[in-house]
Short mmCIF file of all heavy atoms in Angstrom, two decimals:
data_model
loop_
_atom_site.label_atom_id
_atom_site.label_comp_id
_atom_site.label_asym_id
_atom_site.label_seq_id
_atom_site.Cartn_x
_atom_site.Cartn_y
_atom_site.Cartn_z
N ARG A 1 0.77 -1.20 0.00
CA ARG A 1 -0.07 0.03 -0.03
C ARG A 1 0.85 1.26 -0.05
O ARG A 1 0.43 2.34 -0.58
CB ARG A 1 -0.97 0.01 1.26
CG ARG A 1 -1.91 -1.10 1.26
CD ARG A 1 -2.92 -0.93 2.34
NE ARG A 1 -2.44 -0.87 3.72
CZ ARG A 1 -2.51 0.16 4.48
NH1 ARG A 1 -3.03 1.25 4.21
NH2 ARG A 1 -1.98 0.17 5.71
N PHE A 2 2.00 1.27 0.59
CA PHE A 2 2.90 2.39 0.71
C PHE A 2 4.09 2.12 -0.15
O PHE A 2 4.51 1.06 -0.44
CB PHE A 2 3.38 2.57 2.18
CG PHE A 2 2.27 3.02 3.03
CD1 PHE A 2 1.02 3.04 2.76
CD2 PHE A 2 2.56 3.36 4.39
CE1 PHE A 2 -0.07 3.48 3.58
CE2 PHE A 2 1.63 3.91 5.26
CZ PHE A 2 0.30 3.80 4.86
N ASN A 3 4.75 3.31 -0.60
CA ASN A 3 5.87 3.21 -1.47
C ASN A 3 6.86 4.27 -1.00
O ASN A 3 6.51 5.44 -0.84
CB ASN A 3 5.53 3.39 -2.87
CG ASN A 3 6.87 3.28 -3.82
OD1 ASN A 3 7.39 2.25 -3.89
ND2 ASN A 3 7.17 4.42 -4.36
N ILE A 4 8.09 3.83 -0.59
CA ILE A 4 9.13 4.77 -0.27
C ILE A 4 10.09 5.04 -1.46
O ILE A 4 10.35 4.20 -2.20
CB ILE A 4 9.91 4.40 0.94
CG1 ILE A 4 10.80 5.38 1.49
CG2 ILE A 4 10.70 3.05 0.71
CD1 ILE A 4 11.48 5.02 2.84
N SER A 5 10.48 6.27 -1.61
CA SER A 5 11.48 6.62 -2.64
C SER A 5 12.51 7.72 -2.13
O SER A 5 12.12 8.38 -1.11
CB SER A 5 10.75 7.16 -3.86
OG SER A 5 10.02 8.29 -3.71
N ARG A 6 13.55 7.80 -2.79
CA ARG A 6 14.58 8.89 -2.24
C ARG A 6 15.25 9.58 -3.45
O ARG A 6 15.38 9.00 -4.53
CB ARG A 6 15.55 8.18 -1.34
CG ARG A 6 16.44 7.07 -2.08
CD ARG A 6 17.29 6.28 -1.06
NE ARG A 6 18.30 7.05 -0.49
CZ ARG A 6 19.06 6.81 0.51
NH1 ARG A 6 18.80 5.62 1.17
NH2 ARG A 6 20.13 7.48 0.93
N ASP A 7 15.60 10.85 -3.18
CA ASP A 7 16.40 11.54 -4.12
C ASP A 7 17.53 12.21 -3.44
O ASP A 7 17.39 13.24 -2.79
CB ASP A 7 15.45 12.69 -4.79
CG ASP A 7 16.05 13.38 -5.86
OD1 ASP A 7 17.36 13.45 -5.99
OD2 ASP A 7 15.33 14.03 -6.66
N ASP A 8 18.67 11.50 -3.47
CA ASP A 8 19.80 11.95 -2.76
C ASP A 8 20.30 13.41 -3.15
O ASP A 8 20.85 14.11 -2.36
CB ASP A 8 20.95 10.99 -2.81
CG ASP A 8 20.69 9.68 -1.95
OD1 ASP A 8 19.53 9.53 -1.62
OD2 ASP A 8 21.65 9.01 -1.64
N ALA A 9 20.16 13.69 -4.50
CA ALA A 9 20.58 15.01 -4.95
C ALA A 9 19.82 16.11 -4.28
O ALA A 9 20.29 17.29 -4.06
CB ALA A 9 20.35 15.06 -6.49
N LYS A 10 18.55 15.88 -3.90
CA LYS A 10 17.75 16.74 -3.16
C LYS A 10 17.69 16.64 -1.73
O LYS A 10 17.04 17.27 -0.97
CB LYS A 10 16.30 16.72 -3.72
CG LYS A 10 16.18 17.20 -5.23
CD LYS A 10 14.69 17.06 -5.66
CE LYS A 10 14.58 17.55 -7.06
NZ LYS A 10 13.16 17.53 -7.55
N LYS A 11 18.46 15.51 -1.29
CA LYS A 11 18.58 15.20 0.20
C LYS A 11 17.07 15.00 0.65
O LYS A 11 16.74 15.55 1.75
CB LYS A 11 19.34 16.23 0.94
CG LYS A 11 20.79 16.36 0.52
CD LYS A 11 21.55 17.26 1.46
CE LYS A 11 21.15 18.73 1.31
NZ LYS A 11 22.07 19.62 2.04
N SER A 12 16.34 14.32 -0.02
CA SER A 12 14.97 13.98 0.32
C SER A 12 14.55 12.62 0.26
O SER A 12 15.07 11.82 -0.48
CB SER A 12 14.03 14.86 -0.68
OG SER A 12 14.34 16.28 -0.53
N VAL A 13 13.57 12.30 1.03
CA VAL A 13 12.87 10.95 0.99
C VAL A 13 11.44 11.19 1.04
O VAL A 13 10.90 12.08 1.73
CB VAL A 13 13.40 10.03 2.11
CG1 VAL A 13 13.08 10.61 3.53
CG2 VAL A 13 12.86 8.66 2.02
N TYR A 14 10.70 10.20 0.30
CA TYR A 14 9.25 10.46 0.19
C TYR A 14 8.51 9.20 0.66
O TYR A 14 9.03 8.10 0.52
CB TYR A 14 8.82 10.85 -1.16
CG TYR A 14 9.61 11.99 -1.83
CD1 TYR A 14 10.70 11.78 -2.53
CD2 TYR A 14 9.25 13.29 -1.51
CE1 TYR A 14 11.50 12.86 -3.00
CE2 TYR A 14 9.98 14.40 -1.98
CZ TYR A 14 11.11 14.18 -2.72
OH TYR A 14 11.82 15.20 -3.28
N LEU A 15 7.23 9.30 1.04
CA LEU A 15 6.44 8.17 1.41
C LEU A 15 5.04 8.37 0.74
O LEU A 15 4.29 9.30 1.03
CB LEU A 15 6.29 8.06 2.88
CG LEU A 15 5.48 6.78 3.29
CD1 LEU A 15 6.16 5.49 2.99
CD2 LEU A 15 5.10 6.89 4.81
N ASP A 16 4.89 7.59 -0.30
CA ASP A 16 3.59 7.70 -1.03
C ASP A 16 2.55 6.60 -0.41
O ASP A 16 2.94 5.37 -0.48
CB ASP A 16 3.80 7.33 -2.57
CG ASP A 16 4.44 8.49 -3.27
OD1 ASP A 16 3.89 9.65 -3.25
OD2 ASP A 16 5.57 8.31 -3.72
N MET A 17 1.53 7.09 0.13
CA MET A 17 0.62 6.13 0.80
C MET A 17 -0.77 6.10 0.14
O MET A 17 -1.23 7.13 -0.37
CB MET A 17 0.29 6.77 2.23
CG MET A 17 1.52 6.94 3.10
SD MET A 17 1.25 7.52 4.70
CE MET A 17 0.67 9.24 4.33
N SER A 18 -1.15 4.91 -0.18
CA SER A 18 -2.50 4.70 -0.75
C SER A 18 -3.28 3.72 -0.02
O SER A 18 -2.87 2.97 0.79
CB SER A 18 -2.22 4.25 -2.25
OG SER A 18 -1.53 2.94 -2.29
N LYS A 19 -4.62 3.64 -0.39
CA LYS A 19 -5.58 2.75 0.29
C LYS A 19 -5.39 2.87 1.78
O LYS A 19 -5.39 1.96 2.53
CB LYS A 19 -5.35 1.26 -0.19
CG LYS A 19 -5.49 1.08 -1.60
CD LYS A 19 -5.20 -0.37 -2.05
CE LYS A 19 -5.37 -0.60 -3.48
NZ LYS A 19 -5.17 -2.06 -3.86
N LEU A 20 -5.47 4.16 2.15
CA LEU A 20 -5.30 4.45 3.67
C LEU A 20 -6.43 4.00 4.45
O LEU A 20 -7.67 4.00 4.11
CB LEU A 20 -5.10 5.92 3.79
CG LEU A 20 -3.75 6.48 3.31
CD1 LEU A 20 -3.74 8.02 3.18
CD2 LEU A 20 -2.64 6.11 4.42
N ARG A 21 -6.12 3.50 5.63
CA ARG A 21 -7.17 3.01 6.52
C ARG A 21 -7.14 3.75 7.89
O ARG A 21 -6.11 4.46 8.19
CB ARG A 21 -6.79 1.56 6.94
CG ARG A 21 -6.53 0.58 5.67
CD ARG A 21 -5.85 -0.68 6.14
NE ARG A 21 -5.73 -1.47 4.98
CZ ARG A 21 -4.91 -2.61 5.03
NH1 ARG A 21 -4.26 -3.03 6.18
NH2 ARG A 21 -4.75 -3.34 3.92
N PRO A 22 -8.17 3.70 8.72
CA PRO A 22 -8.11 4.47 10.00
C PRO A 22 -7.01 4.00 10.87
O PRO A 22 -6.46 4.81 11.59
CB PRO A 22 -9.44 4.03 10.57
CG PRO A 22 -10.39 3.82 9.40
CD PRO A 22 -9.46 3.23 8.31
N GLY A 23 -6.58 2.71 10.72
CA GLY A 23 -5.45 2.22 11.54
C GLY A 23 -4.12 2.85 11.14
O GLY A 23 -3.14 2.72 11.80
N ASP A 24 -4.05 3.60 9.99
CA ASP A 24 -2.81 4.29 9.62
C ASP A 24 -2.69 5.62 10.29
O ASP A 24 -1.67 6.20 10.21
CB ASP A 24 -2.83 4.46 8.10
CG ASP A 24 -2.76 3.25 7.32
OD1 ASP A 24 -2.04 2.32 7.68
OD2 ASP A 24 -3.48 3.20 6.31
N THR A 25 -3.69 6.07 10.97
CA THR A 25 -3.62 7.30 11.85
C THR A 25 -2.52 7.30 12.81
O THR A 25 -2.42 6.39 13.58
CB THR A 25 -4.99 7.58 12.46
OG1 THR A 25 -6.01 7.70 11.52
CG2 THR A 25 -4.87 8.89 13.37
N ALA A 26 -1.64 8.22 12.70
CA ALA A 26 -0.49 8.29 13.60
C ALA A 26 0.41 9.51 13.26
O ALA A 26 0.08 10.20 12.28
CB ALA A 26 0.38 6.95 13.40
N ILE A 27 1.37 9.77 14.06
CA ILE A 27 2.31 10.81 13.75
C ILE A 27 3.47 10.04 13.04
O ILE A 27 4.00 9.10 13.54
CB ILE A 27 2.91 11.40 15.05
CG1 ILE A 27 1.76 12.14 15.80
CG2 ILE A 27 3.95 12.45 14.65
CD1 ILE A 27 2.22 12.70 17.09
N TYR A 28 3.87 10.65 11.90
CA TYR A 28 4.92 9.95 11.01
C TYR A 28 6.11 10.73 11.17
O TYR A 28 6.20 11.97 11.04
CB TYR A 28 4.42 9.94 9.65
CG TYR A 28 3.35 8.89 9.33
CD1 TYR A 28 2.04 8.96 9.87
CD2 TYR A 28 3.68 7.76 8.54
CE1 TYR A 28 1.13 8.02 9.55
CE2 TYR A 28 2.73 6.76 8.39
CZ TYR A 28 1.43 6.87 8.87
OH TYR A 28 0.51 5.91 8.58
N TYR A 29 7.19 9.97 11.49
CA TYR A 29 8.54 10.64 11.66
C TYR A 29 9.47 10.18 10.57
O TYR A 29 9.52 9.01 10.16
CB TYR A 29 9.11 10.17 13.01
CG TYR A 29 8.34 10.63 14.18
CD1 TYR A 29 7.27 9.84 14.75
CD2 TYR A 29 8.59 11.89 14.78
CE1 TYR A 29 6.55 10.26 15.81
CE2 TYR A 29 7.77 12.35 15.90
CZ TYR A 29 6.81 11.51 16.49
OH TYR A 29 6.10 11.87 17.48
N CYS A 30 10.33 11.10 10.16
CA CYS A 30 11.35 10.76 9.18
C CYS A 30 12.67 10.55 9.99
O CYS A 30 12.95 11.32 10.91
CB CYS A 30 11.57 12.00 8.25
SG CYS A 30 12.83 11.75 7.02
#
């Protein structure tokens, strides 16, 4: 359901979340 990707040139990391459920409710930390 989730996909992580990174772009080191931009010093960034991403989390693409789909089909989200109420159980996904949380504080997300990098």
Side-chain angles (χ1 to χ4, degrees):
R1 298 189 298 118
F2 291 9
N3 182 68
I4 188 172
S5 60
R6 60 190 290 168
D7 187 339
D8 285 20
K10 297 181 179 179
K11 297 187 291 185
S12 300
V13 61
Y14 310 94
L15 183 68
D16 291 297
M17 305 181 291
S18 62
K19 300 179 180 179
L20 285 162
R21 309 165 180 168
D24 295 320
T25 297
I27 300 176
Y28 285 70
Y29 297 91
C30 178

